[in-house]
Amino acid sequence: MKTAETTVARAHPALVALQRIKHRSVAVPKGPALVLVVLVVVGTLLSPYFATWSNVLTMLTSASVIGIISVGMTFVIISAGIDLSVGALVALVAVVATMDSVQQGGWALMIAVALATGLGAGLVNGLLVAYGHLVPFIATLAMLASARGVAELISGGTPQTSLDETFNQIGSAKPFGIPLPVWVFAAVVVVGWFLLNRTTFGRRTFALGGNREATRLAGIKIRKHILILYTLSGLTAAIASVLLTARLTSGSNAVGTLYELDAIAAVIIGGTLLAGGRGTIAGSVLGVLIFTVITNIFVLKNLETDVQNIAKGVIIAGAVLLQRRRQNAPERAQGHHNEQRNDGYDNFSRTNGWAVSDKAGDARRVGGPRCGRVGVGVHQ
Amino acid sequence: MTTLLSVRGAVKQFAGVRALDSVDLDVIAGEVHCLLGQNGAGKSTLIKVLAGAHEPDSGELLLDGRPVRIPDPRAALDLGIVTIYQELDVVPGLRVYENVFLGHELARAGWEQRRRMRAATTDALVRLGHPEIAPDAELGDLSPAGQQVVCMARALLREARLVVMDEPSAALASHEVANLFRVIGELTAAGIAVIYITHRLAEIRQIGDRVTVLKDGRTVSHGLDINATSDETLVRLMTGRDVANTFPPRRVVAENAPELLRVERLNRAGSFADVSFSIRAGEIVGLAGLVGSGRSEILGSIYGAIHPDSGEVTLDGQPLRPGDPAMAVRRGLGLAPEERKSQALLLDQAVYRNLSLASLERFATAGVMNRRREMTEAVAKIQSLGVRPTEPRQSIRQLSGGNQQKVVVGRWLVRECRVLLLDEPTRGVDVGARADLYALIRQLADTGVGILLVSSEIPEVLGLADRVLIVRQGRVIAECAADETDEEQVLSLLMKGSAL
Ligand SMILES: Nc1ncnc2c1ncn2[C@@H]1O[C@H](COP(=O)(O)OP(=O)(O)OP(=O)(O)O)[C@@H](O)[C@H]1O
Ligand SMILES: [Mg+2]
């Protein structure tokens, strides 16, 4: 291999690669960005009020709750997991933070208790998945049910008013003319982006979702990592809950219903693979914004919520179909549509002699196939 | 001699890469036609064109002299072209016979005829010399080699006119290769043509009739008579250079070289028993044995990938916790596993990310990655391993099989281990790159790394290792210096047990 040709190749890719680091630092998925642009144009045409500064701030404020949740969700889904409990955790955190005894401690205690509750519940999720060998879908479904149950038990089913003015300020303060929730949303996004794209933690998350067994065999502590991932998702749910509670100035066991689906939908629309291994924070943010803009347009036009829900459903299906097509396009042209389907079992149901025959501890599949698809087709 | 299949000027372009750049091929009914070429030459791409997995951008396919189109895999099967891919394509959750008949289940009036399918599967497995595989076993429970046999059975049971095999022997031990050759003989005797891809020239000599050599996506020579072509000529056609296919010189391991790894009375029911040995700094120890003799399980147990039932592994005198690969890696162990696709690669991620996966901390300060350092290192390894194409950001799925394999080994060269466990490190790697890899492994040993090598190719173990342990049915039955023994002696030791 010591030909002149390879010597030339030596300098070349290094330079190219190093240069490219500078260029593409934040990759924004094109599909969702396009959808958002179209929606913004439509909104502007439909209502003169749409493109005003105050409406933009309204939209961003209402996007912030789901937005923060979907940052945590992005991590979990990239790792080939799922967290169905986030909506219920929003309610649990809201109720716990507004208990009389907590409110008496003032706003700082309220926030501390809120975050601790989210972390704790997320930790339980993580323990169930990583060490209890439960499928993420089931573990977090169990959490969904019980968290809401506990919230109802504590609150007795009635909203608890938050009397702490400082705490309520979180929902209404506008530093530099921009609502505090928007600041918090932005901060969570930046931190999440950095964590995912610039740290070993992010790398391991991608690796875990790409190939769990390979990640384990590369010496990465996958159980500890899974534990942290779900804890992180609990934390983002708690932050979102604080913002929501402050804005509503009350905590109720009924808030946050179906937030998990909104967050998952936003993440998937943003281009993150439900099967894991691929995804971006920017995409998830776009996904959330797409939903917010749709809702906003419908509110401005005074349309019924049922129409609105149908539109949402169509957009979810449309955006994901668009992505599939984009991913498949080169393959399809070659009549190679099997390859995509194969991913499902490469990463999930595919086991090797070891993992199956070894019943002890580590080698067992902790998560199991969450959405393992099978197909026979072509491999390299 | 009728030409069964012809390919004329096939071109296949992927984003940026011309995988096929005018390929010609003629296959005659009843012959074994070998396809040779370096890693990335386009062999797998060509057979995927024949299998209907890729449609060529231009060029012509002729079957029995008539132009045909193969737009999808179904069309290929209908034309009687059956393919065994380089990577296994099976469904682990299904039973053996279900895999064999997947997509062409036997049914009458909508009812599956399970009994007939089971019987036919058993027949095919017996023909392949594997009566021990039960048609009802779950496929995922079989070893990779066993899974490969099932793929073969599937091909046998289709009505084929042309069977295409992409490196079928890479996962097989020598006696299984003999079985494979017997089956190929049966196929050709029945007038079926076989396209056979391998990097082992000896195999081509054994069963090949004619050979076509690809280089950089072009046919450089076309339907050569194998008996009239020397190995040197073939290698020169493939690589464009003369490869000195010798193993790097050994250096005498110093008497006082410290012992790095010690394995003591390691046991695992059903896999291996009572395995003890040690590796000193700078030493390459080879494990020779048949596929299924427990070598991979021994490596896995040392590393912590699987749990041994009893026994102890110590590194630098300190015991390793069983079943904890993270600790093993932290202490300086590395394992390049056997099955690159399921055990090693992040298929949809970039080459550089695959290379750095086991060494993330090395490129990070307080958890924050230094991507420049990471990339520089990746480029260096791509260079020294000869990975092609050289672009570190390319997704590894797009690399050819042999190039993927180089990355699997490369991951542990990045890590700088103290003891490296290599399980079939050259699987699918071409002749030239193999020589480079041998040199790299020897260099590593010369810097004081201890290496434990598993390979199904006995000449490779004998040529590269300093010391060879003979493993038969999970037991180490003999140990010898590699330069004091030869292939025949090792083989007879290996086979003695199985002949009984
Ligand atoms: N899907 C793809 N996208 C982009 N490039 C590809 C794709 N598949 C193959 N290639 C490129 O095409 C070339 C030929 O690959 P191919 O797999 O046919 O090689 P091969 O001869 O089978 O090599 P090996 O001996 O390593 O298996 C390689 O450079 C490879 O990187
Ligand atoms: Mg190939």
Side-chain angles (χ1 to χ4, degrees), chain A residues 331 334 336 339 380, chain B residues 12 14-15 17-20 37-46 48 54 86 166-167 197 199 214 340 388-389 394 397-404 428-430:
Chain A
E331 235 94 49
Q334 302 147 12
H336 200 182
E339 190 129 307
Q380 223 281 302
Chain B
K12 177 74 204 172
F14 295 109
V17 188
R18 248 193 151 146
L20 299 182
Q38 283 180 289
N39 295 133
K43 304 179 297 295
S44 296
T45 308
L46 176 60
K48 282 183 188 171
H54 292 322
Q86 186 168 10
D166 197 351
E167 299 189 32
I197 300 180
H199 289 292
L214 298 186
R340 56 178 169 252
R388 304 247 117 157
Q394 185 162 26
R397 185 190 286 284
Q398 297 171 351
L399 260 53
S400 77
N403 283 304
Q404 291 179 354
V429 174
D430 71 46

Side-chain angles (χ1 to χ4, degrees), chain A residues 2, chain B residues 379-387 413 436 440:
Chain A
K2 311 286 180 284
Chain B
V379 168
K381 284 293 173 286
I382 285 171
Q383 186 59 42
S384 65
L385 290 161
V387 177
L413 303 183
D436 295 346
L440 275 174

Side-chain angles (χ1 to χ4, degrees), chain B residues 430-486:
Chain B
D430 71 46
V431 190
R434 207 172 270 231
D436 295 346
L437 201 56
Y438 293 151
L440 275 174
I441 293 172
R442 178 48 76 181
Q443 263 172 34
L444 212 59
D446 288 344
T447 63
V449 175
I451 288 167
L452 183 59
L453 171 77
V454 166
S455 169
S456 297
E457 287 176 64
I458 294 163
E460 183 168 293
V461 178
L462 292 180
L464 195 56
D466 299 304
R467 194 149 56 85
V468 180
L469 307 178
I470 315 281
V471 184
R472 195 176 68 204
Q473 292 171 355
R475 286 175 185 276
V476 177
I477 55 162
E479 178 183 333
C480 40
D483 49 7
E484 286 166 12
T485 185
D486 58 27

Side-chain angles (χ1 to χ4, degrees), chain B residues 28-108:
Chain B
I28 298 170
E31 75 165 339
V32 176
H33 196 111
C34 297
L35 214 49
L36 262 181
Q38 283 180 289
N39 295 133
K43 304 179 297 295
S44 296
T45 308
L46 176 60
I47 68 132
K48 282 183 188 171
V49 165
L50 299 180
H54 292 322
E55 238 187 319
D57 301 335
S58 64
E60 215 183 359
L61 297 176
L62 303 167
L63 195 71
D64 300 322
R66 278 190 304 277
V68 288
R69 263 192 72 224
I70 310 180
D72 54 45
R74 170 61 55 183
L77 290 175
D78 290 345
L79 292 172
I81 301 175
V82 174
T83 307
I84 299 171
Y85 292 103
Q86 186 168 10
E87 311 287 341
L88 303 172
D89 57 334
V90 287
V91 187
L94 293 183
R95 294 174 194 285
V96 166
Y97 82 90
E98 289 170 329
N99 268 287
V100 167
F101 280 96
L102 196 68
H104 69 148
E105 291 82 0
L106 298 180
R108 183 171 290 157

Side-chain angles (χ1 to χ4, degrees), chain A residues 185-268:
Chain A
F185 179 25
V188 169
V189 166
V190 169
V191 171
W193 178 87
F194 187 82
L195 197 60
L196 188 62
N197 296 297
R198 288 289 179 272
T199 67
T200 54
F201 181 82
R203 249 344 147 61
R204 293 183 183 127
T205 307
F206 280 113
L208 190 60
N211 186 340
R212 184 193 179 95
E213 179 69 357
T215 307
R216 186 177 76 92
L217 291 182
I220 288 164
K221 295 179 184 167
I222 57 175
R223 294 203 231 179
K224 188 176 129 201
H225 194 85
I226 291 171
L227 190 71
I228 299 176
L229 280 169
Y230 285 88
T231 310
L232 202 70
S233 179
L235 176 66
T236 50
I239 297 173
S241 179
V242 168
L243 299 184
L244 185 70
T245 308
R247 196 164 81 219
L248 300 174
T249 65
S250 81
S252 147
N253 62 301
V255 295
T257 313
L258 293 187
Y259 278 16
E260 61 278 359
L261 292 190
D262 284 348
I264 293 169
V267 171
I268 300 305

Side-chain angles (χ1 to χ4, degrees), chain A residues 1-2 5-7 9-10 13-14 16-18 20-22 24-25 194 197-201 203-204 206-207 210-211 213-221 277-278 333-339 343 345-347 349-354 356-358 360 362-363 374-380, chain B residues 12 38 48 52-55 71 85-92 102 140-141 147 241 268 296 300 303 305-307 323 325-326 329-330 339 341-346 348-349 352-353 356-358 360-361 364 367-369 371-372 374-375 379 383 388 390-393 397 399-401 412 436:
Chain A
M1 299 265 128
K2 311 286 180 284
E5 190 190 343
T6 43
T7 339
R10 173 177 297 173
V16 172
L18 289 179
R20 221 171 298 168
I21 290 179
K22 286 179 208 148
R24 36 151 285 185
S25 17
F194 187 82
N197 296 297
R198 288 289 179 272
T199 67
T200 54
F201 181 82
R203 249 344 147 61
R204 293 183 183 127
F206 280 113
N211 186 340
E213 179 69 357
T215 307
R216 186 177 76 92
L217 291 182
I220 288 164
K221 295 179 184 167
R278 242 186 293 180
Q334 302 147 12
H336 200 182
H337 34 83
N338 274 332
E339 190 129 307
D343 293 359
Y345 77 78
D346 286 344
N347 299 337
S349 26
R350 171 129 208 183
T351 50
N352 51 74
W354 290 355
V356 171
S357 57
D358 189 284
D362 253 341
V374 293
V376 169
V378 180
H379 284 285
Q380 223 281 302
Chain B
K12 177 74 204 172
Q38 283 180 289
K48 282 183 188 171
H54 292 322
E55 238 187 319
Y85 292 103
Q86 186 168 10
E87 311 287 341
L88 303 172
D89 57 334
V90 287
V91 187
L102 196 68
D141 289 343
Q147 299 186 8
R241 61 172 172 146
R268 186 176 146 88
S296 295
Y303 185 67
I306 51 175
H307 247 287
V329 170
R330 216 168 42 247
E339 258 284 296
K341 206 161 177 186
S342 62
Q343 299 180 321
L345 294 177
L346 310 173
D348 287 311
Q349 295 181 26
Y352 81 97
R353 289 188 170 213
S356 63
L357 183 65
L360 292 176
E361 316 80 48
V368 178
M369 298 289 298
R371 295 190 304 158
R372 189 172 297 254
E374 180 188 16
M375 196 61 78
V379 168
Q383 186 59 42
R388 304 247 117 157
T390 51
E391 167 61 57
R393 286 175 177 274
R397 185 190 286 284
L399 260 53
S400 77
W412 297 103
D436 295 346

